[in-house]
């Protein structure tokens, strides 16, 4: 959870497949709303555009699509020297 002025940003919520559909994600969202947010604050969640289950989850909690971005995570790792 990242706070930026009056916005709280959820970068990632992960629930194991076997534990999904049990209300855990909803409890996490409710916890943030009840314990961190004040009147007028926003909660923003990001997900991949092809993650249909996450989009349905957030939509069921009254989240609305505000933007679409294409973000690439690129890794460069220095190889270890063989000694």
């Amino acid at each position: 959870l990242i706070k930026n002025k009056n916005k709280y940003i959820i970068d990632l919520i992960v629930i194991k497949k076997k534990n999904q559909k049990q209300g855990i994600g909803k409890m996490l969202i409710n916890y943030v709303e009840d314990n961190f947010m004040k009147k007028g604050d926003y909660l923003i969640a990001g997900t991949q555009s092809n993650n249909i289950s996450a989009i349905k989850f957030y939509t069921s909690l009254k989240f609305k699509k505000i933007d679409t971005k294409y973000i690439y995570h690129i890794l460069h790792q220095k190889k270890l020297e063989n000694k």
Side-chain angles (χ1 to χ4, degrees), residues 8-42:
Y8 288 87
I9 302 166
I10 298 170
D11 188 47
L12 182 65
I13 293 178
V14 178
I15 309 292
K16 284 186 174 184
K17 194 77 157 169
K18 69 177 186 172
N19 297 323
Q20 292 178 4
K21 307 278 187 209
Q22 297 178 25
I24 297 169
K26 183 176 180 177
M27 285 189 288
L28 291 169
I29 298 293
N30 288 339
Y31 183 84
V32 170
E33 290 177 338
D34 295 342
N35 293 284
F36 292 95
M37 298 179 69
K38 297 181 177 90
K39 188 174 183 176
D41 286 351
Y42 295 91

Side-chain angles (χ1 to χ4, degrees), residues 52-69:
I52 304 304
S53 62
I55 293 168
K56 287 180 180 180
F57 166 72
Y58 289 119
T59 302
S60 75
L61 296 175
K62 309 299 182 212
F63 281 73
K64 293 179 175 53
K65 179 180 169 184
I66 58 170
D67 194 12
T68 301
K69 296 179 183 175

